[in-house]
């Protein structure tokens, strides 16, 4: 049995676990106890594998796929959704990831390290008073209200697996959320050695101290205004420098009302970290800060590790534009959060299956001008359409045939990897979100 298939059916078994069923109950122990047209198991499967169509056509599809004798009404379906705890999908996401890291034949590492990135993003949600009050307003004063849900994510950039995920207000403390994810990482990946990679929004004295107290390894890109004195003191491209928390830095924390952070800096006094100067795509120098002691990890390797962080940006792009994260079933917070966590879970399923497909590719890159990769947009359509049929199939031989066809169809659609391509960053809304070169796959 393929590794991804085995993990999928482990997920299916979890849906019938009593502890998991209790977690699914949002507010009452009596929820999901009566026999309904769409039982809890089918309700859970309907959300990640929805097609993004109007609810009428979604329910028509569910009637067919679940072999229902009668169609469930829109009101009945949404009423069932209101009873479902969104955290159930986060538990499914973490459960699937945990089984992935237990399987040493599937997991890939860099010099025995798991490379983890943490980042935040946001997604637009329907404009309602409830959503503005729940998530906040991102528009400028006097402008039209624009609610957004903040999303924080812990992501394995090599294996392309989401380790943890959390919804927030539109404006949230990314450093605090990062520490929240760091504290939960071991529940999924165990004691595997890991290196965390952060972008420019994360470095600060208190955050560095928190990471070091937890014994975690990290690489963080520095903005020009953070630890500016230390950056200017560098005489080589790679050296260890003391960061001294003097009165100026302590008072800066006091002035913004961070009494606890000020006390932390004063108590610590100073820390010694490795500063690395690199050139990114532009001509200007960029600075990275790390606590990697390993002398075998060179300056160039640290630079490459940081660049791997871009994969988390690609993950958000996949979820928003390929899996249509913002194409919500409804406009209430509970339904939108269900859709968000279910999309994260589906993202992990997709990448798990893609890894199995890559192992079974018969052709080699030698016959092509470029290195080839799987067309992820096609993979989304295949996973959305066929994996639910696989999970509902009772016959073992038919299951194997469906899985074989999924892998074969994904492998039949590959694209060249063209490195070094650059694009001008476009700010604001594009003229058309659904252009002829970005057709939906489902």
């Amino acid at each position: 049995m393929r590794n991804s298939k085995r993990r999928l059916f482990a997920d299916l078994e979890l849906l019938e676990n009593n502890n998991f069923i209790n977690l699914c109950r949002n507010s009452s122990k009596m929820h999901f106890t009566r026999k309904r047209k769409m039982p809890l198991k089918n309700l859970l499967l309907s959300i990640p594998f929805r097609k993004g169509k109007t609810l009428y056509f979604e329910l028509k599809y569910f009637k067919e796929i679940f072999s229902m004798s009668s169609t469930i009404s829109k009101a009945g379906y949404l009423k069932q959704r209101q009873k479902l705890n969104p955290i159930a999908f986060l538990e499914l996401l973490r459960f699937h990831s945990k089984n992935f890291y237990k399987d040493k034949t599937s997991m890939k590492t860099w010099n025995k390290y798991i490379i983890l990135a943490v980042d935040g993003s946001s997604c637009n949600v329907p404009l309602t008073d409830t959503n503005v009050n729940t998530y906040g307003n991102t528009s400028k004063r006097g402008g039209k209200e624009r609610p957004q849900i903040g999303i924080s994510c812990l992501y394995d950039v090599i294996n392309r697996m989401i380790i943890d995920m959390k919804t927030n207000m539109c404006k949230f403390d990314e450093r605090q959320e990062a520490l929240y994810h760091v504290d939960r990482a071991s529940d999924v990946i165990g004691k595997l050695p890991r290196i965390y990679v952060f972008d420019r929004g994360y470095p600060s004295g208190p955050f560095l101290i928190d990471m070091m107290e937890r014994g975690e390894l990290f690489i963080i890109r520095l903005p020009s205004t953070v630890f500016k004195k230390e950056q200017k003191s560098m005489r080589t491209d790679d050296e260890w420098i003391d960061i001294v928390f003097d009165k100026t830095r302590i008072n800066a924390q006091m002035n913004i009302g961070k009494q606890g952070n000020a006390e932390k800096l004063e108590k610590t006094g100073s820390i010694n970290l490795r500063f690395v100067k690199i050139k990114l795509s532009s001509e200007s120098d960029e600075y990275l800060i790390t606590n990697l002691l390993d002398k075998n990890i060179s300056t160039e390797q640290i630079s490459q590790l940081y660049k791997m962080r871009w994969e988390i940006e690609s993950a958000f792009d996949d979820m928003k534009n390929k899996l249509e994260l913002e194409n919500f079933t409804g406009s209430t917070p509970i339904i939108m959060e269900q859709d968000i966590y279910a999309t994260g879970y589906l993202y992990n399923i997709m990448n798990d299956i893609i890894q199995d497909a890559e192992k079974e590719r018969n052709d080699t890159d030698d016959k092509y001008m470029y290195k080839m990769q799987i067309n992820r947009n096609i993979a989304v359509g295949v996973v959305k359409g066929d994996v639910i049929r696989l999970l509902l199939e009772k016959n073992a031989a038919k299951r194997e045939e469906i899985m074989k066809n999924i892998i074969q169809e994904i492998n039949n659609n590959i694209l060249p990897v063209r490195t070094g391509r650059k694009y001008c960053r476009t700010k604001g809304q594009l003229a058309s979100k659904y252009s002829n070169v970005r057709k939906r796959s489902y």
Side-chain angles (χ1 to χ4, degrees):
M1 183 184 289
R2 293 174 177 88
N3 295 332
S4 57
K5 180 183 171 186
R6 184 174 64 251
R7 284 187 281 273
L8 274 170
F9 283 99
D11 296 347
L12 205 58
E13 290 177 8
L14 180 67
L15 303 189
E16 299 175 355
N17 180 280
N18 287 332
N19 290 332
F20 180 77
I21 292 172
N22 287 332
L23 177 65
C24 291
R25 295 177 174 128
N26 188 45
S27 57
S28 171
K29 294 181 180 179
M30 299 305 294
H31 288 164
F32 307 118
T33 55
R34 295 172 59 188
K35 188 176 181 180
R36 299 281 186 177
K37 290 181 182 178
M38 184 177 283
L40 176 61
K41 177 181 173 182
N42 290 358
L43 181 69
L44 287 163
L45 291 176
S46 75
I47 298 171
F49 296 103
R50 67 193 189 281
K51 297 287 188 177
K53 300 179 180 179
T54 63
L55 191 52
Y56 171 83
F57 286 108
E58 293 281 24
L59 295 175
K60 186 178 179 182
Y61 169 66
F62 296 152
K63 179 184 178 183
E64 174 196 347
I65 201 74
F66 295 129
S67 302
M68 296 165 61
S69 57
S70 59
T71 305
I72 185 172
S73 69
K74 291 190 284 187
Y77 178 72
L78 293 175
K79 187 176 180 181
Q80 287 290 83
R81 291 281 297 266
Q82 292 292 333
K83 300 174 183 177
L84 180 61
N85 188 346
I87 299 301
F89 289 105
L90 179 60
E91 180 63 24
L92 264 173
L93 179 155
R94 288 169 59 81
F95 179 79
H96 191 95
S97 297
K98 190 173 185 177
N99 287 333
F100 176 86
Y101 289 101
K102 284 180 180 178
D103 184 358
K104 300 299 187 289
T105 62
S106 296
M107 182 187 62
K108 292 177 282 189
T109 61
W110 182 89
N111 285 3
K112 298 184 180 180
Y113 288 105
I114 300 290
I115 310 300
L116 301 175
V118 180
D119 205 0
S121 186
S122 60
C123 59
N124 296 320
V125 298
L127 175 56
T128 66
D129 290 340
T130 301
N131 290 340
V132 172
N133 294 331
T134 303
Y135 303 112
N137 177 28
T138 60
S139 66
K140 295 179 180 179
R141 183 178 297 179
K144 184 178 179 180
E145 290 183 323
R146 185 183 179 188
Q148 290 184 333
I149 295 179
I151 303 173
S152 181
C153 205
L154 175 63
Y155 183 73
D156 180 342
V157 300
I158 298 177
N159 295 293
R160 287 183 164 179
M161 298 291 286
I162 298 173
I163 310 299
D164 198 26
M165 198 175 187
K166 190 167 180 283
T167 56
N168 300 278
M169 295 279 290
C170 60
K171 297 176 183 177
F172 62 96
D173 188 333
E174 289 191 333
R175 295 184 186 117
Q176 284 303 117
E177 293 304 305
L179 294 173
Y180 170 84
H181 293 311
V182 168
D183 291 338
R184 286 162 56 87
S186 293
D187 294 339
V188 175
I189 66 175
K191 296 181 179 180
L192 292 169
R194 77 290 305 257
I195 299 172
Y196 291 90
V197 187
F198 299 94
D199 202 9
R200 287 176 290 190
Y202 289 90
S204 73
F207 181 73
L208 295 174
I209 293 169
D210 286 332
M211 289 294 290
M212 293 173 76
E213 285 178 347
R214 287 167 168 76
E216 301 291 354
L217 298 174
F218 56 80
I219 299 171
I220 309 178
R221 184 178 175 184
L222 292 176
S224 59
T225 55
V226 176
F227 306 132
K228 190 173 182 178
K229 181 171 64 176
E230 286 79 7
Q231 292 182 37
K232 287 186 175 180
S233 71
M234 292 183 69
R235 297 291 176 264
T236 64
D237 290 343
D238 189 340
E239 57 185 279
W240 289 82
I241 297 175
D242 287 327
I243 300 174
V244 179
F245 301 123
D246 54 21
K247 287 186 178 180
T248 302
R249 286 171 172 164
I250 294 170
N251 290 337
Q253 294 292 327
M254 295 282 284
N255 292 338
I256 59 174
K258 302 283 188 179
Q259 178 71 32
N261 285 347
E263 292 174 357
K264 187 178 294 184
L265 295 184
E266 187 173 15
K267 180 181 178 182
T268 304
S270 67
I271 54 177
N272 184 251
L273 290 173
R274 185 177 177 183
F275 281 69
V276 175
K277 183 165 63 175
I278 61 170
K279 283 193 181 295
L280 294 180
S281 56
S282 62
E283 293 299 321
S284 60
D285 292 327
E286 298 290 345
Y287 294 84
L288 304 176
I289 191 170
T290 180
N291 60 345
L292 285 169
L293 290 166
D294 193 341
K295 294 180 180 179
N296 294 322
I297 301 179
S298 66
T299 304
E300 179 60 30
Q301 286 176 315
I302 290 176
S303 173
Q304 291 302 318
L305 284 171
Y306 172 74
K307 291 174 183 177
M308 290 165 66
R309 192 205 69 86
W310 183 255
E311 289 298 330
I312 194 171
E313 305 286 357
S314 298
F316 280 123
D317 178 71
D318 281 350
M319 286 192 284
K320 287 183 178 182
N321 296 311
K322 293 184 176 66
L323 296 173
E324 297 191 359
L325 176 66
E326 296 173 324
N327 191 353
F328 296 113
T329 308
S331 60
T332 60
I334 189 169
I335 286 181
M336 291 187 298
E337 291 186 17
Q338 289 168 7
D339 287 347
I340 288 171
Y341 288 127
T343 301
Y345 170 57
L346 182 67
Y347 179 85
N348 278 2
I349 290 176
M350 179 184 75
N351 284 298
D352 199 1
I353 292 174
I354 284 175
Q355 286 213 41
D356 273 349
E358 287 173 340
K359 290 177 183 176
E360 297 183 28
R361 269 183 57 192
N362 294 322
D363 59 343
T364 63
D365 290 337
D366 297 339
K367 61 189 279 191
Y368 300 102
M369 182 181 296
Y370 298 99
K371 180 181 178 181
M372 305 301 289
Q373 65 180 352
I374 284 169
N375 185 328
R376 296 175 64 79
N377 191 48
I378 298 296
V380 168
V382 174
V383 169
K384 278 261 190 177
D386 293 345
V387 169
I388 190 169
R389 299 180 188 277
L390 171 71
L391 293 171
L392 294 173
E393 179 57 59
K394 302 295 184 183
N395 184 283
K398 289 183 179 179
R399 281 180 178 176
E400 187 58 36
E401 184 65 24
I402 293 171
M403 190 66 186
K404 179 182 176 182
N405 290 337
I406 289 171
I407 296 291
Q408 185 175 349
E409 192 169 358
I410 290 174
N411 272 334
N412 285 343
N413 291 275
I414 54 178
L415 292 171
V417 179
R418 296 186 177 93
T419 58
R421 292 187 297 176
K422 299 178 182 179
Y423 300 94
C424 293
R425 186 171 183 174
T426 304
K427 293 185 178 181
Q429 181 66 47
L430 298 177
S432 173
K433 185 169 183 178
Y434 300 104
S435 68
N436 285 333
V437 295
R438 297 193 76 164
K439 290 293 188 184
R440 280 179 46 163
S441 58
Y442 60 91

